Amino acid sequence: MTSKPDADARLLDAHDLALDALREITPATSIGPAAGYLLEDDGSVSLRFENRLPGYPGWYWTVTVARVEDEEPTVLEVELLPGDGALLAPEWVPWAERLADYRAHQVELAEQAASASAESGEGADDDVDDIDDEDAEDLDEDDDLDDDEDADAPATVLHAGDVDGVDIDELDPSVVSDEDSADDGFDDEDDDSDDDDSDDDEDADDEE
């Protein structure tokens, strides 16, 4: 097993070089103080600086520096990398897998909705049956009350000439009842009788 080489002191002290490289890609206000380093397998060193960009908690500005033989340190790479506990995006999932999961979820939701609808339908049927029973009882009570009221109500006698309880003969003056005709007959006889008596009295006076 190959062990990592010891860190080059000149690389560890290359903070100014790393900061100059960072300022070329991000404002100085987004760069925080130094936050350690990482020793890479090839002997290069990744210098870390705190990140002050909003929306990237736990991320670090990372500048990887190296040197060849006795040359001065040089910058290999500048990037923003997540640290332990950093806020990360979920792992990428192929579209085919996401679509399959989506369809399976939709089927599950449809089954749940159908089950809930069936249960609510059974409860509604029970409620309707209870309401029908109550309505039937109310109708029976109403019929009994109507029968009692009909029994207590006075009987109304309608004649052949009555309509809705109104005597048509009373409304038509051309129609004369039998009683009125009989009374008129008696009145005529009385008048005739009075006329005969008057004639007899006149004849008696002439003879005298």
Side-chain angles (χ1 to χ4, degrees), residues 7 22 29 37-38 46 49 57 59 65 74-75 84 89 94 105 109 111 116 122 130 132 143 145 149 163 171 177 197:
L22 284 174
T29 55
Y37 67 92
L38 296 175
S46 294
F49 299 86
W59 289 63
V65 294
T74 184
V75 175
D84 296 336
H105 183 60
L109 292 178
E111 292 176 352
E122 293 176 358
D130 294 339
D132 291 341
D143 292 340
L145 291 175
E149 291 178 357
V163 176
L171 300 178
S177 63
D197 293 338

Side-chain angles (χ1 to χ4, degrees), residues 8-11 43-44 65-74 76:
D8 189 333
R10 295 179 66 180
L11 296 178
S44 61
V65 294
R67 59 189 295 263
V68 178
E69 297 180 352
D70 294 334
E71 298 294 330
E72 294 294 326
T74 184
L76 299 180

Side-chain angles (χ1 to χ4, degrees), residues 95-110:
W95 168 246
E97 295 182 14
R98 284 183 286 164
L99 182 59
D101 293 341
Y102 171 78
R103 289 176 174 173
H105 183 60
Q106 293 301 312
V107 171
E108 182 181 355
L109 292 178

